[in-house]
Each structure stands twice: as C-alpha cells, then as structure tokens.
Amino acid sequence: MNSNLGRKLENKAVQNANLRQIVKRIDDLPVVPAVAIQALKLSLQDDVDLKKLGQVVETDAVLTAKILKLVNKASMGLSQKKVISVQQAINLIGLNALRSALLGVMIKEYLVGDDKIVSKNYKELWAHNLLCAILAQEIAQKTYPELKNTSFVAGLLHDMGKSVIMDVFPEKYEQIKESQDKLKISQFEAEQKLLGTNHSLVGKILAKNWKLPEEFIDCIWFHHQPIDSIQCLEAGKELIYIVIMADILAHEIFCDQSLSRDTAICLDKLKKILRLNDQEIEQIKLEGAKTYSEKAGLFSLDSDFYKIFHEIIQRANKKLSEMALEVEHKNVQLARTNKILQLAHNLSLNLTSVLTLQELFQGVVKAFQCVPDIQVGIIYIIDLDTRELEGQIWLDSHRTRNLLCFLDKEGIPVWEHDDQSIPEELKRAICMYKARSGSDVSKVSYDFSPPFHIFNFCTKKSLIGELCLVFKKGLNELYSREKLIFNQVSNLIASTLERIFIYEKLEKRSEELSQALWRNQQINLQLLQTERLAAVGQLAAGAAHEINNPLAIISARAQLLQFKETDAKKKKELALITEQIERISRILSSLMDFARPSPPKLTDVNLHEILDKVLEFVSNGLKKHNISIIKNYDKNLPVIKADPAQLEQVFLNLCINAQHAMEKSGGNLTLVTEHSEDGQNVIIKIIDQGEGIPKENLNKIFDPFFTTKEEGKGTGLGLSTSFGIINNHFGTIRIDSEVGKGTTITIELPVNIESLRPVDQDILDAKLKAVGGVKPKVLVVDDEEHIRDILKETLEGENMLVDTADNGQEGLEKLLTEKYDLLLLDIRMPLRDGLSLLREIKKRDKSLPVIVITGMATHEEMEEALAHGSCKCIRKPFHIKTLLEEIHKSLTGE
C-alpha cells in the first residue's frame, strides 16, 4: 500500500461515534471460515491451480453447498445436468464467476441481514459492483491486459464498504440515498455529510480485517480520491485508474447518479491517462452491458438484458424530465433576473447626473416603474442629526407620492395627517429601521418582513437609507442572484447619496471661498502677520479637538491604573506615561496660544528641578554630539510663582536649539541661575558654544515661522512660543549672539506674580463628608463614549452617583427631569452644544455647579462659560487628581 498518501487520508478521516460503531461491528463479525478466506485468496491469484482451488472449497461442506446452490441456479440455461462438485462449477462458469460467487457468499453470509430494505439495497449494490467489475476487465483488456483478471476482482470489491454501512445503519443508508437525490451530490459526499465517514474508509478497514491483498485495499480506499493525488502514488495507480473509470461508466449505464461537472472532468483526465477515445469507451460500455446479463445470476440479480435496458431507459427519461423542469425553472429565473439587470442599468443611467435628493428619488422611481413585477416600492432616507425622514413611494408602477416627516426623541417617525393613507404594515416596517441598521455601515443588509423585501444601507453613522419592495403574488421569493443585484442597486443609491452630499459641501465651500477671497482683498498687507497667527490658531483648535479627546482617554486610563498599581516600578512607569501625555497636551496648547494666548496657571516652582528635568530629556542627544553640561546654580535661588509646564516648554525649546547649534563641533552647554540685585526677579542664562546667529537675523528671531535651521529640524515656532510664555509671566527674554562663538539667552522672571495657596485635600474630603452624608449626584454630558466611561468609573470610585448623556439635547432633557448636585460638561457636541445647554439650564438654576471639560473650546468660549457663575473650566487631557480636586471644591462650595 502507498503509506504516505494512506496516512495522510487516514489522518483526515473523521473519527466520530459512527466510525467507531462501524469498526466495532467489523470487529464483532463472526469469524469467517479459514477455508473461505483461503479459497478467496487462491482465486485472486492469476496463476491459480483450479484443481487445488476446488479441493480447498470442498473441504467446507457449508461453503460447498452454498456455491453449488448459487451455480446451479445461475446455470439453468447452460446445462441440463445438475452441477454436483466445485470442480464442475469451475469448469462450467469459469474462474471469474467463481470469484464472484465466493465473494457474494461471504458478503451476504457475514454482513447482510434479512431486512427487506437492506436486501433491496444489497441487490442494487452488487448489480453496480458486478457491472463495474465487468467494465474494469474490458478497460484493462484494452489498456493493461496483464491486469485483466485483477481488474475484475478490484471492480467487484471497490464498494464493499457500503455493505457494512448498510448493515450498521440501514435507516441512515436510506437517508443517504435521499440526500443524494435531493442535494444533487454523490453518495460519497452524502455519507460524509450524514455519517462523518465514507464507504471507502469503511471498506478499507474491512479489507484489512479480511487480510486482502494490498492492491485491492488501495482500490477500495482511493477510488474516490482526486486523479491528481493518485498520480503521486508509488505503485498500483494503473489499477486504481481502471476501477475509477469503470465506476463512472457503471453509473452512466444504470443512470443511477447524475454526472456532475467534477465527474466529467475526472473522466476526461482518465481518457487521456488510459489513452482511450470516445468510440472505444462506447464499445466498452456495450460489451459490459451484454456480459452483465450473462453473469448477473451469480448474485441473484435480474439477467434479462432487455428488461435491464428498459429500466435504464425509464431512469433516463425521469432524469431528462427533471432536467427539463429545472431548465424551465432556470429560464423563468433568468428572464426575471434579466429584467432586474436592465433595471440596474437604467438606474445607473438615471443617477449619472443627479445632484439633489429629489432628483435621486425621481431617478429611482423612474427606473423601478419599468419593472411590472414590483407592485409597491419605497425609497427613503433618515437623517438622525436633523431627525428627518424624506423619500418617495410608488404604487402599481405609475402612482407616486412624496414622504416627509420628523422623528420623535426615540427616533420613531411621526406621521402627519396627510400620511394616514400609508399602509400600516409599511409604517411598522419603517419604524424597525434601527433594528435593521448594523454597525458595519459599509455593507448592504437584507431583511424580509412580509410582504416587504428591505435593503438597508448607510452612507455615514447618522444617515440611514432603505429600499423597500413588494412583489406581485407568486413572485415573492428572491433568488440569491437577484438579492445580489438589489444589493448592488442599493450600493449605487448609497454612492449617489455620497456624491450629492459632496456636491453640497463643495457648493458651500465654494461660497465660503468666494467670501474669503473677497475679505482677503479688503485686508491690509500690514495685517498679514496677524492672519498667519490666526491660521495657526485655527489649525491648533482642530488638532486639539482631534487629539485631546483620545489623549484624555489614554491619560485618564493611565492614571486609574497608576492609582490601582501596587508595584513601585510599574507605578513609576505609569507616572512617566502620564507626564509625557501632559507634555503633548501642553505642546498642543502652545500652538493655540498664538491666536488665543492662555494665562499661566501659577504655582510654586523650583527652577532647578525644571531645568534638571529638561536636561534629562535631552541628555542622550547631547552625549551623542559630544556636548557637555555645566551647571552654575545659585543655591539660594527662591521658589517663584509660575506655570511649571510652560517654563519646561521654554527651557526645552532653548536647550534643543543649543544642541542643534553645536552638533557639528560639540562644546559646552552652560546653565546659570542667579538672584537679581533687587531680589524681585530671578535670572536664567542658557549659554552654548555653537555657530551663533548673524546680526541681521537677531531682530527676526522671535517671529513665528522664522528659522535658520535645515529642513526637518525646526518649524520656526519654538522661540516665538517661548517669547509669548515669558511675556505672560511678566518676564523678559533676550538673545546675545556672535557668529562662530556661540549664543547666550537670558531670561528674567518675577519671583511672585500673585499669592496662591494649594488646597489641602484632607480638608476638602472632610467638608464633602460633612454634607449630610448623602452621595452627590453628578451628570456627565460628553459625546465621547470613552470619556463618559472614565468619568463615571472615577466618580463612582469616589462614592458618587453618576448619570451620563451623549449630547447636549439629551443632557438638557435629563436636567429638566432630574435633580443633580454637579454638571460635568463638554462644549463641542451634536444636536445641542455645551454653551447652549449652559445658557438654558442657568436660566432655571443659577446655583448648579458646572465644570466644563473641553479639548477645543476657545478662550472666548471658556470666558463665556465662566461668566455664568458657579462654573469652572478644565482642558483635555485632564489630570484625574486635579479634576477630583475641582469637583470636591464645587460640591463643597469653595
């Protein structure tokens, strides 16, 4: 046996309960008499001694009796004398017939019971096996004559596994045949589907149990395998090819199995391999049918050739009738599909130049009115932002009417008086649009809600469209190809919608551009610098909105993990993540400061700690370019009032500039701190030994976007940002430089701008607990789901009751129905923005504390919020400790 392919196939076999049951049945078979096995093995030899074979069979009286009974029954027309010895039987019917008789006796005796259904199936099986054996012998005679006798036996044995399945699962065997006819699949595939195994594997197990020769085991096992895989066998593949072809031709002659496309391809390959033409194949089939009528009696089969031929004609006619019905059905289906394809073509033409929603609806209706099979059709679009439903309905291919209504707060259409004539089932179908719209808006979904076929599509999260169709009676089932076409139609409508919205946006942008151009013509050239700064501010606002929200989520989650973490090293690493996120946020804020400078948040600052922190950030870059650090710190330098984050940004910008100036030659970077003579200011000097700055550039060095660095090393924003920060601290910054010698930057800052005292957290907590022992109730209004989740989790951890809303309108509705102790509010939100909500709620309750948490709001918007009283503002990303401190202050009235 070919072990490699065998192991491969055996590993793929499904070792389920059915296969184990079959193996147990084989193991539990009565022991086949040794005489029968010996006789069968002798008969399979090409050079068998017929006299010896007869002597072996005659040693078993039971086997001799069964053989003589079978032979006498089969040879009634051949001899008038009764056959009384096995030797006579061999001489009369021949070796092949004796082989068939031996195998038939053994299979029938030890596998097949007396069940009528099984007996019928057994006869059909051995009729096929006998014909297959005869055909295999005929094929071998024309291709490999030396395999003539072996081929006959191999054909006789190839389906012996079906006998075991028939015996173990007689009821399932009938189901297999029904499934074969219903699903138009082979018996091999039906067995695998219902049993999880197949007759090839079962037959191989039985053949091994009976210790049959290896070439027959291979034919039993591999005769349903692909031709390409059999070509990989080391030996014996010619015999397998012959058996596979004989099996296919036998099914053709008996018309008991449809010739699938795969089977036809397999047969063509076998013709080439065995070098047989169509004329030779037909001759083989004719000779095989004749020989079958002569040998059928050995299996108690019908030997009347003309009766067999009549049955075959009946089967063929039945299959032809089925094929004719199927062709007629497919023609009807094809005609309807062609109509729908024409519809799709017409629709694509109608929508080519559509630029408005009304033109879209009219184009869809015009195309669908040409399909008389559609009785009612509806196309509508639902805009969840504006809460509007708009569309068109057509009836009986000619009457049309517009649909237009609004949605209530639950998203349900509110029909006007004029819409009462719309069928109730249609209204119910439309009301279910939310359930049908899935999360994957890139695909069209299909739903059948009798009598409506509904195709749901989305162009964006807030825009849902549906195409609803009602077919005439008898045509209410859509074929898969028709569903595919309607899916494409829905995609075409969705893409047209996208084009309409893009066109509207382009028109709006065109108008805005015209106005902008007109305004630009009126602007004085002297305001050019201001315009550039405003552009930077606008860019920064957009960046803050897109970056600060996800940044706030990352920062808050990192802080929550830091609070829960017990490992000191991990806690330090999480703290570093939080610090770097805050640094990113400060960089974004500095961009906005060009157009809208923000005042510093003053606290006690140790300048030496900030400088050391900055030097730690840039130390690797300095070492890489052979730059040494020299610190000349004043040990008595006082703590000053300043914004540490903004000063860190200034010193970082200046140190990076110094590094860039010394990258080619290296040198010393010196940092000097000292107290001014009057004691009111502190002085910081950053001195490098770099290339220096030409005198003609010194007066432009603080201009935004001005830079002398090569591309990729600077944007021209660092020094201008630093200049703005120092000015906001009421300080001064000065640059002295000489080309070839280096640059000195001197910063002077006041020690104290105003007095700020940090709030003791323990005192705040004590005040909060003193408020009647009742849990504070907080409403969080933010369109970012992750921000809402983080705030809810954090505040509930602080023993507070938390409610959430995902837009301003929902937040207002909750504030009007519930009583809250604190409102956490975003400004930029859909439906109703934060400032609008704040104005509305302050009219009713001026005392409600409000904390605005925003990533994009301008200083003007934040000032408006603060002007309402009992209101504070925090930018995203926020520090959880800072936010909790402000929340405690608001709740305790500080």
Side-chain angles (χ1 to χ4, degrees), residues 496-510:
T496 305
L497 275 171
E498 290 283 5
R499 190 176 73 247
I500 291 171
F501 296 135
I502 291 172
Y503 176 76
E504 290 177 351
K505 287 181 180 179
L506 286 175
E507 277 205 328
K508 185 178 179 181
R509 292 288 176 86
S510 178

Side-chain angles (χ1 to χ4, degrees), residues 40-151:
L40 182 61
K41 288 185 176 180
L42 278 173
S43 72
L44 297 178
Q45 297 176 6
D46 290 335
D47 56 349
V48 62
D49 184 339
L50 298 181
K51 185 176 181 181
K52 182 180 178 181
L53 176 59
Q55 291 172 349
V56 170
V57 173
E58 287 173 345
T59 59
D60 188 302
V62 176
L63 184 59
T64 299
K66 291 183 180 295
I67 292 293
L68 291 178
K69 179 182 177 182
L70 198 57
V71 170
N72 279 306
K73 183 178 179 182
S75 60
M76 287 299 293
L78 300 177
S79 174
Q80 298 300 323
K81 294 182 180 180
K82 197 168 186 179
V83 179
I84 60 174
S85 70
V86 175
Q87 196 64 51
Q88 282 182 287
I90 297 173
N91 294 331
L92 181 64
I93 64 174
L95 183 58
N96 276 339
L98 182 63
R99 289 168 175 162
S100 304
L102 280 169
L103 188 61
V105 168
M106 292 172 65
I107 292 293
K108 193 169 184 181
E109 181 69 21
Y110 296 103
L111 288 181
V112 181
D114 295 327
D115 186 277
K116 290 183 179 180
I117 296 176
V118 173
S119 297
K120 177 179 177 294
N121 289 330
Y122 168 78
K123 284 189 176 183
E124 292 177 356
L125 169 63
W126 284 102
H128 169 75
N129 285 352
L130 178 58
L131 182 56
C132 184
I134 294 168
L135 291 170
Q137 190 174 40
E138 293 289 339
I139 295 169
Q141 180 66 40
K142 291 183 178 293
T143 56
Y144 298 95
E146 69 277 10
L147 297 176
K148 179 180 176 182
N149 292 329
T150 308
S151 296

Side-chain angles (χ1 to χ4, degrees), residues 422-686:
I422 297 176
E424 289 299 322
E425 61 267 24
L426 172 58
K427 293 180 180 179
R428 287 194 296 270
I430 294 176
C431 290
M432 293 297 293
Y433 72 90
K434 277 191 174 181
R436 291 190 294 267
S437 57
S439 57
D440 187 357
V441 299
S442 63
K443 295 182 180 178
V444 174
S445 63
Y446 168 74
D447 182 71
F448 180 54
S449 300
F452 297 100
H453 295 271
I454 302 171
F455 298 86
N456 178 285
F457 55 90
C458 302
T459 57
K460 56 182 182 178
K461 188 176 181 181
S462 61
L463 199 70
I464 297 173
E466 288 195 336
L467 176 67
C468 304
L469 304 174
V470 178
F471 288 85
K472 291 183 178 178
K473 291 184 178 179
L475 299 172
N476 218 20
E477 180 183 354
L478 283 182
Y479 305 117
S480 57
R481 186 175 297 179
E482 293 174 345
K483 290 178 185 176
L484 179 61
I485 297 172
F486 280 121
N487 282 347
Q488 293 172 346
V489 166
S490 301
N491 280 321
L492 176 61
I493 296 172
S495 62
T496 305
L497 275 171
E498 290 283 5
R499 190 176 73 247
I500 291 171
F501 296 135
I502 291 172
Y503 176 76
E504 290 177 351
K505 287 181 180 179
L506 286 175
E507 277 205 328
K508 185 178 179 181
R509 292 288 176 86
S510 178
E511 293 174 2
E512 292 174 353
L513 181 60
S514 298
Q515 294 177 1
L517 289 174
W518 181 84
R519 286 194 299 269
N520 286 343
Q521 292 173 358
Q522 314 303 315
I523 294 175
N524 194 293
L525 293 177
Q526 298 173 353
L527 299 178
L528 180 61
Q529 184 70 4
T530 304
E531 183 181 349
R532 292 174 69 189
L533 294 176
V536 174
Q538 186 178 4
L539 173 66
H545 180 251
E546 295 300 327
I547 298 175
N548 275 338
N549 275 338
L551 206 60
I553 295 168
I554 297 170
S555 175
R557 283 296 178 194
Q559 291 175 56
L560 289 174
L561 289 173
Q562 183 183 352
F563 295 156
K564 298 174 182 178
E565 186 58 61
T566 58
D567 185 285
K569 182 180 178 182
K570 291 181 179 179
K571 201 174 185 73
K572 184 177 180 181
E573 290 171 348
L574 289 168
L576 181 60
I577 292 173
T578 305
E579 291 175 2
Q580 295 308 305
I581 292 172
E582 291 173 353
R583 179 184 168 198
I584 294 171
S585 179
R586 291 193 298 271
I587 293 172
L588 290 172
S589 298
S590 68
L591 289 174
M592 296 182 67
D593 287 339
F594 285 121
R596 309 180 186 94
S598 59
K601 297 178 181 178
L602 303 178
T603 185
D604 289 336
V605 171
N606 185 323
L607 288 173
H608 293 161
E609 291 179 358
I610 295 178
L611 289 170
D612 288 342
K613 187 175 181 180
V614 169
L615 290 174
E616 183 179 354
F617 287 151
V618 300
S619 60
N620 289 336
L622 296 177
K623 290 178 182 178
K624 180 179 177 181
H625 298 286
N626 298 320
I627 300 172
S628 301
I629 300 173
I630 300 175
K631 300 179 184 178
N632 291 328
Y633 290 173
D634 185 351
K635 294 181 180 180
N636 298 318
L637 195 72
V639 172
I640 70 172
K641 291 290 184 181
D643 188 324
Q646 291 187 0
L647 291 185
E648 180 183 328
Q649 183 179 353
V650 171
F651 298 145
L652 183 62
N653 285 335
L654 298 179
C655 288
I656 290 174
N657 286 344
Q659 175 188 321
H660 290 166
M662 294 189 289
E663 281 181 355
K664 293 181 179 179
S665 58
N668 296 327
L669 174 62
T670 305
L671 281 77
V672 179
T673 61
E674 56 189 37
H675 212 168
S676 64
E677 294 180 358
D678 58 6
Q680 300 298 313
N681 298 306
V682 293
I683 299 169
I684 306 98
K685 293 183 180 181
I686 299 176

Side-chain angles (χ1 to χ4, degrees), residues 96-352:
N96 276 339
L98 182 63
R99 289 168 175 162
S100 304
L102 280 169
L103 188 61
V105 168
M106 292 172 65
I107 292 293
K108 193 169 184 181
E109 181 69 21
Y110 296 103
L111 288 181
V112 181
D114 295 327
D115 186 277
K116 290 183 179 180
I117 296 176
V118 173
S119 297
K120 177 179 177 294
N121 289 330
Y122 168 78
K123 284 189 176 183
E124 292 177 356
L125 169 63
W126 284 102
H128 169 75
N129 285 352
L130 178 58
L131 182 56
C132 184
I134 294 168
L135 291 170
Q137 190 174 40
E138 293 289 339
I139 295 169
Q141 180 66 40
K142 291 183 178 293
T143 56
Y144 298 95
E146 69 277 10
L147 297 176
K148 179 180 176 182
N149 292 329
T150 308
S151 296
F152 181 88
V153 179
L156 205 60
L157 293 170
H158 80 289
D159 271 347
M160 63 188 298
K162 290 183 180 178
S163 300
V164 182
I165 295 176
M166 198 185 304
D167 177 53
V168 180
F169 302 109
E171 294 180 358
K172 283 197 175 180
Y173 193 82
E174 288 298 312
Q175 293 176 13
I176 288 169
K177 295 181 68 177
E178 292 174 3
S179 178
Q180 181 182 355
D181 294 335
K182 184 177 180 180
L183 301 177
K184 306 295 183 187
I185 58 177
S186 68
Q187 185 169 346
F188 184 88
E189 294 170 311
E191 289 168 354
Q192 199 67 50
K193 186 178 182 67
L194 290 177
L195 296 178
T197 186
N198 57 75
H199 66 270
S200 295
L201 180 60
V202 174
K204 168 241 180 184
I205 296 171
L206 179 61
K208 275 191 170 183
N209 186 274
W210 284 3
K211 297 181 173 57
L212 295 181
E214 294 293 339
E215 60 266 36
F216 296 134
I217 294 177
D218 284 351
C219 286
I220 293 168
W221 196 5
F222 296 148
H223 73 275
H224 280 298
Q225 295 304 319
I227 297 298
D228 295 337
S229 64
I230 295 172
Q231 287 176 333
C232 301
L233 296 177
E234 299 169 4
K237 54 189 174 186
E238 293 82 6
L239 183 60
I240 300 175
Y241 291 148
I242 291 171
V243 171
I244 294 175
M245 176 175 274
D247 183 56
I248 294 173
L249 297 181
H251 283 303
E252 278 190 17
I253 291 173
F254 278 142
C255 292
D256 57 355
Q257 184 171 301
S258 300
L259 184 64
S260 67
R261 183 173 178 272
D262 291 339
T263 306
I265 293 172
C266 177
L267 187 58
D268 287 338
K269 288 182 179 180
L270 289 171
K271 288 177 184 178
K272 291 179 182 178
I273 293 172
L274 296 173
R275 297 184 295 279
L276 292 171
N277 56 42
D278 291 339
Q279 186 177 357
E280 290 172 319
I281 293 293
E282 290 303 317
Q283 185 64 30
I284 289 170
K285 288 164 69 176
L286 182 60
E287 292 295 330
K290 290 179 179 179
T291 308
Y292 170 83
S293 65
E294 299 170 1
K295 296 182 180 291
L298 288 172
F299 289 89
S300 299
L301 301 172
D302 195 342
S303 60
D304 187 340
F305 178 75
Y306 296 101
K307 186 176 180 181
I308 296 169
F309 185 74
H310 180 69
E311 291 178 357
I312 292 171
I313 292 296
Q314 284 184 323
R315 291 180 193 169
N317 285 336
K318 182 181 177 183
K319 288 191 176 294
L320 286 173
S321 299
E322 291 174 354
M323 290 172 62
L325 288 173
E326 186 177 349
V327 169
E328 184 179 357
H329 176 72
K330 286 185 176 179
N331 285 336
V332 172
Q333 179 181 346
L334 183 60
R336 181 167 152 183
T337 303
N338 286 337
K339 289 181 182 179
I340 299 175
L341 281 172
Q342 185 62 41
L343 157 71
H345 173 70
N346 294 339
L347 183 62
S348 64
L349 295 177
N350 292 348
L351 301 185
T352 301

